[in-house]
Amino acid sequence: MNSNAKEILNKNLHVEQNFVHRLTNQSTEWNWYMLKERFEHIINIIKLDEIKTIFDIGSRDAIESINMATIFEDAHIHAFEPSPYNFSMCIENISIQRQDIVDRIFLHKIAANDKTEVIDFWELDIDAAMVKPVLNHGIASKFRLKNPDEFYDQHCAQRCIKVPGFRLDDYCKIDRVNIDRVDGIWMDCQGSEFDVLKGFEEGLKDVQFIITEAGGSDPYYIHQTLKSDIDSFLSSKGFMLLSNASINLDGRESEVIYLNKNLFY
């Protein structure tokens, strides 16, 4: 091995060791265990030093954005959240972080979509939902729930609002946005993940990893797309499902990871 190759190998090893240290020695925010478990599957595969831009799509409260900004110290995190209530939660949670985290998280009050147009969006109807003790703002979606009383301690009543929907390929080209490359995606869009991906066909070529929820055989939402749709679409774009990282949640949904074969294999 020549000296240049050794230098590159040592640099990559140093980057990986630092990342592992941050991943295993932090617990700053809620849901850290989930982020840790997901990234442990791909630490040795993804090109850590090349990850500069990550999309957190369906951010809800920006906790995942904050967590990712903590472990990816040089990355910009773009959080997408169309629900006005959830967006206010994002602002509040980001505002109390240390300044280097605040400076690298960018909020976008839009719904990522397969079409660029104003769309119906179903968020939690707080007044109606208060008949039960738990208010689940995470159910906000472009789709309606099949059963708002799915969970015994929640009445997930929804109200319809209008929000701007964008194909991410279109949105990234807007002058005030101007994002020319995305290296990773963390996504939880309550059933609309397939539509989001269809709206980002051009941008997917640079994406190393996609960590997402995907609908199972008995989904929560009316008309939501399923994991099989996502599998087929991403396979056609050169992505592979990391099968040993899939978590099936009672047939309702799965936690899955896709890797861009064009960048690794």
Side-chain angles (χ1 to χ4, degrees), residues 56 59-67 79 90 93-94 105 107:
D56 175 15
S59 186
R60 181 184 178 181
D61 51 18
I63 295 299
E64 307 298 358
S65 290
I66 294 165
N67 288 342
C90 291
N93 288 332
I94 292 170
I105 300 178
L107 290 175

Side-chain angles (χ1 to χ4, degrees), residues 110-113 115-119 163-167:
I110 68 159
N113 195 37
K115 297 177 182 177
T116 297
E117 61 184 12
V118 175
I119 65 170
V163 302
F166 279 90
R167 297 179 69 255

Side-chain angles (χ1 to χ4, degrees), residues 160-203:
C160 185
I161 61 174
K162 298 289 186 181
V163 302
F166 279 90
R167 297 179 69 255
L168 289 176
D169 279 333
D170 296 339
Y171 189 72
C172 290
K173 294 173 184 175
I174 297 174
D175 287 343
R176 64 179 174 82
V177 180
N178 192 28
I179 301 170
D180 60 5
R181 178 189 177 97
V182 179
D183 305 298
I185 293 174
W186 182 287
M187 180 163 54
D188 182 358
C189 297
Q190 302 303 109
S192 64
E193 291 83 6
F194 182 42
D195 289 347
V196 172
L197 294 169
K198 286 192 294 183
F200 198 42
E201 288 191 68
E202 295 175 29

Side-chain angles (χ1 to χ4, degrees), residues 121-166:
F121 191 81
W122 297 88
E123 68 171 4
L124 186 70
D125 185 332
I126 297 174
D127 290 338
M130 289 181 70
V131 297
K132 289 190 177 181
V134 176
L135 297 180
N136 183 358
H137 293 279
I139 56 91
S141 173
K142 67 180 283 187
F143 299 117
R144 295 195 72 175
L145 284 164
K146 290 181 178 179
N147 178 13
D149 295 300
E150 178 77 30
F151 305 105
Y152 77 95
D153 58 352
Q154 303 173 24
H155 176 56
C156 296
Q158 293 171 290
R159 69 186 189 101
C160 185
I161 61 174
K162 298 289 186 181
V163 302
F166 279 90

Side-chain angles (χ1 to χ4, degrees), residues 180-184 202-209 260 263:
D180 60 5
R181 178 189 177 97
V182 179
D183 305 298
E202 295 175 29
L204 286 176
K205 69 181 187 304
D206 298 315
V207 173
Q208 292 191 37
F209 64 85
N260 192 336
L263 302 179

Side-chain angles (χ1 to χ4, degrees), residues 9-255:
L9 184 61
N10 289 335
K11 178 185 176 184
N12 291 341
L13 181 60
H14 178 70
V15 169
E16 183 177 319
Q17 287 174 338
N18 284 343
F19 182 84
V20 170
H21 176 76
R22 292 191 297 274
L23 190 63
T24 56
N25 290 280
Q26 302 268 0
S27 57
T28 57
E29 294 293 347
W30 179 80
N31 215 26
W32 187 271
Y33 72 94
M34 182 65 177
L35 178 134
K36 180 176 180 291
E37 188 277 333
R38 295 285 80 189
F39 277 105
E40 282 178 340
H41 288 286
I42 58 176
I43 286 173
N44 298 318
I45 304 173
I46 61 177
K47 302 171 185 177
L48 293 166
D49 59 332
E50 295 182 13
I51 295 174
K52 304 301 181 185
T53 303
I54 301 174
F55 278 3
D56 175 15
I57 306 173
S59 186
R60 181 184 178 181
D61 51 18
I63 295 299
E64 307 298 358
S65 290
I66 294 165
N67 288 342
M68 287 189 288
T70 301
I71 59 169
F72 291 98
E73 293 183 314
D74 298 322
H76 287 178
I77 315 297
H78 292 266
F80 296 84
E81 178 52 59
S83 162
Y85 182 91
N86 290 354
F87 193 82
S88 68
M89 292 173 63
C90 291
I91 294 173
E92 181 177 341
N93 288 332
I94 292 170
S95 68
I96 61 175
Q97 305 303 313
R98 65 179 194 259
Q99 194 60 45
D100 69 295
I101 298 293
V102 174
D103 290 344
R104 291 185 292 109
I105 300 178
F106 303 88
L107 290 175
H108 305 270
K109 197 175 181 180
I110 68 159
N113 195 37
D114 58 339
K115 297 177 182 177
T116 297
E117 61 184 12
V118 175
I119 65 170
D120 289 342
F121 191 81
W122 297 88
E123 68 171 4
L124 186 70
D125 185 332
I126 297 174
D127 290 338
M130 289 181 70
V131 297
K132 289 190 177 181
V134 176
L135 297 180
N136 183 358
H137 293 279
I139 56 91
S141 173
K142 67 180 283 187
F143 299 117
R144 295 195 72 175
L145 284 164
K146 290 181 178 179
N147 178 13
D149 295 300
E150 178 77 30
F151 305 105
Y152 77 95
D153 58 352
Q154 303 173 24
H155 176 56
C156 296
Q158 293 171 290
R159 69 186 189 101
C160 185
I161 61 174
K162 298 289 186 181
V163 302
F166 279 90
R167 297 179 69 255
L168 289 176
D169 279 333
D170 296 339
Y171 189 72
C172 290
K173 294 173 184 175
I174 297 174
D175 287 343
R176 64 179 174 82
V177 180
N178 192 28
I179 301 170
D180 60 5
R181 178 189 177 97
V182 179
D183 305 298
I185 293 174
W186 182 287
M187 180 163 54
D188 182 358
C189 297
Q190 302 303 109
S192 64
E193 291 83 6
F194 182 42
D195 289 347
V196 172
L197 294 169
K198 286 192 294 183
F200 198 42
E201 288 191 68
E202 295 175 29
L204 286 176
K205 69 181 187 304
D206 298 315
V207 173
Q208 292 191 37
F209 64 85
I210 300 171
I211 298 174
T212 183
E213 281 192 356
S217 57
D218 184 21
Y220 292 113
Y221 293 88
I222 300 169
H223 302 312
Q224 80 169 81
T225 49
L226 306 179
K227 176 179 172 294
S228 56
D229 301 308
I230 298 172
D231 287 347
S232 297
F233 176 77
L234 287 179
S235 177
S236 73
K237 301 301 176 185
F239 284 78
M240 61 173 282
L241 175 69
L242 197 61
S243 56
N244 67 337
S246 295
I247 302 173
N248 189 307
L249 305 175
D250 300 325
R252 312 305 295 272
E253 58 189 6
S254 298
E255 302 283 354

Side-chain angles (χ1 to χ4, degrees), residues 1-10:
M1 183 182 297
N2 61 41
S3 59
N4 188 47
K6 285 183 179 179
E7 183 178 343
I8 294 173
L9 184 61
N10 289 335

